Amino acid sequence: MLLRLAYLGVTNAFAMLRLLPMSDRDKCAEILALRHQVTLLERQLGKGKARSTPSDQAFLAALLHRLPLHVLRRLRLLIRPDTVLRWHRTLIVRRHA
């Protein structure tokens, strides 16, 4: 899981480098989240319902937790914004436990 999380972090960091000239952080986070969701769906193509792994959840929670709730609600996400916030709270609890 940690290797997968590191891989996702590095690949998305390179994706973020392409977005540096853009000044709006909300757009950058939204684009990265959407790309990650497309990758998640491509991995599970033909397997029925899309399921996220703990590393997918950690990455999306870390990426989206800084966005205001009204921005999160406008995003086209596979999961509800409240779920992302719950994942982030779980990550914080595990980190400080």
Side-chain angles (χ1 to χ4, degrees):
M1 179 178 129
L2 290 176
L3 183 61
R4 180 179 209 100
L5 183 61
Y7 171 75
L8 290 173
V10 169
T11 56
N12 285 305
F14 284 121
M16 190 192 268
L17 288 175
R18 285 192 321 164
L19 301 173
L20 281 178
M22 297 175 68
S23 61
D24 190 9
R25 270 190 186 183
D26 294 347
K27 286 183 183 179
C28 292
E30 180 179 358
I31 288 169
L32 288 174
L34 293 173
R35 285 182 183 173
H36 184 71
Q37 290 181 104
V38 168
T39 303
L40 180 115
L41 290 173
E42 286 174 344
R43 261 191 284 144
Q44 298 178 359
L45 196 60
K47 293 182 182 177
K49 187 176 179 182
R51 302 232 183 248
S52 60
T53 62
S55 60
D56 293 323
Q57 294 173 2
F59 181 76
L60 284 173
L63 181 65
L64 298 175
H65 86 280
R66 294 220 182 255
L67 295 178
L69 192 57
H70 72 279
V71 173
L72 271 178
R73 293 199 188 283
R74 288 185 312 166
L75 295 181
R76 303 278 184 198
L77 298 173
L78 295 173
I79 39 94
R80 294 188 341 227
D82 297 331
T83 305
V84 172
L85 295 175
R86 188 185 76 235
W87 289 343
H88 184 260
R89 284 191 301 270
T90 304
L91 283 174
I92 296 300
V93 167
R94 281 189 212 155
R95 181 177 176 205
H96 294 290

